[in-house]
Amino acid sequence: MTTQKIDGASVTTQANVYFDGKCVSHGLTLADGTKLSVGVILPATLTFNTGAPEIMECVGGFCEYKLDGSTEWVKSSAGEKFNVPGNSKFEIRVTEPYHYICHFG
Amino acid sequence: MTTQKIDGASVTTQANVYFDGKCVSHGLTLADGTKLSVGVILPATLTFNTGAPEIMECVGGFCEYKLDGSTEWVKSSAGEKFNVPGNSKFEIRVTEPYHYICHFG
């Protein structure tokens, strides 16, 4: 099931702009202190580095991703998630806008 | 004063992507039903049409805008707002990411 709304969020009004705008996100903090972000990646192939572990939840469109150390591109579509270890990286290949929620920790 | 956070928001997780990603926003609904959006415009000169009247509040960077029927470009920086009438349009000229809150009605 696709998460269409996140309720009770405190929204950081200034966006995070990565890769000249190929990735744009807004940070959210929930009442219990949980931090996450909602964002979109536009058509591109990008490499992201992680600090904390991340769970990437697709809420629209799709992507293909390749985790560090893997040679396999895996598709992730709306309603699906994938996990990225901390202190790692992943490649992501997008051909139509990929809308996501990034959960940390 | 610049609005850095918006509390108690219900966030639509799928972004609005306009002009091939030169403008990306996320819709918010507050507890009292107020609708607004947080977004960013990347370097470009764009024309937006309004349905409802809009108040554009800058929360980072700056833009220059020109209202319909005006010949004057006016600068709007962080902490400043400008009003756009309903059923109208405006041009916006951005040279560094312009972060905004769009208030409707």
Side-chain angles (χ1 to χ4, degrees):
Chain A
M1 205 186 74
T2 304
T3 305
Q4 296 185 309
K5 300 263 184 195
I6 296 171
D7 292 328
S10 174
V11 181
T12 301
T13 58
Q14 188 152 335
N16 308 300
V17 178
Y18 305 106
F19 301 107
D20 287 329
K22 289 296 184 188
C23 176
V24 171
S25 72
H26 279 88
L28 310 180
T29 305
L30 304 185
D32 66 1
T34 302
K35 288 184 184 298
L36 62 168
S37 66
V38 289
V40 63
I41 299 177
L42 302 172
T45 299
L46 304 173
T47 300
F48 286 91
N49 297 294
T50 61
E54 293 180 5
I55 299 167
M56 293 289 286
E57 176 182 352
C58 181
V59 295
F62 71 95
C63 75
E64 293 170 296
Y65 67 92
K66 192 168 68 168
L67 298 179
D68 192 30
S70 172
T71 56
E72 186 189 9
W73 288 97
V74 181
K75 187 172 176 178
S76 184
S77 302
E80 298 178 342
K81 301 176 183 180
F82 63 94
N83 289 267
V84 187
N87 300 310
S88 184
K89 60 185 179 180
F90 65 103
E91 286 179 85
I92 192 163
R93 191 158 70 181
V94 169
T95 55
E96 62 174 73
Y98 164 75
H99 299 261
Y100 68 87
I101 304 168
C102 179
H103 306 264
F104 298 105
Chain B
M1 203 186 75
T2 304
T3 305
Q4 297 185 308
K5 301 262 184 195
I6 296 171
D7 292 328
S10 175
V11 181
T12 301
T13 58
Q14 189 150 336
N16 308 299
V17 178
Y18 304 105
F19 301 107
D20 287 329
K22 289 297 183 187
C23 177
V24 171
S25 73
H26 279 88
L28 310 180
T29 306
L30 304 184
D32 67 0
T34 302
K35 289 184 184 295
L36 63 168
S37 66
V38 289
V40 62
I41 299 176
L42 302 172
T45 299
L46 304 173
T47 301
F48 286 91
N49 297 295
T50 60
E54 294 180 5
I55 299 166
M56 294 289 287
E57 175 182 352
C58 181
V59 295
F62 71 95
C63 75
E64 294 171 294
Y65 67 92
K66 192 169 68 167
L67 297 179
D68 192 30
S70 173
T71 55
E72 187 190 7
W73 288 96
V74 181
K75 187 172 175 179
S76 183
S77 302
E80 298 178 342
K81 301 176 184 179
F82 64 94
N83 289 269
V84 186
N87 300 311
S88 183
K89 60 185 178 180
F90 64 103
E91 286 180 87
I92 191 162
R93 190 159 71 182
V94 169
T95 55
E96 62 175 72
Y98 164 75
H99 299 262
Y100 67 88
I101 304 168
C102 179
H103 306 264
F104 298 104

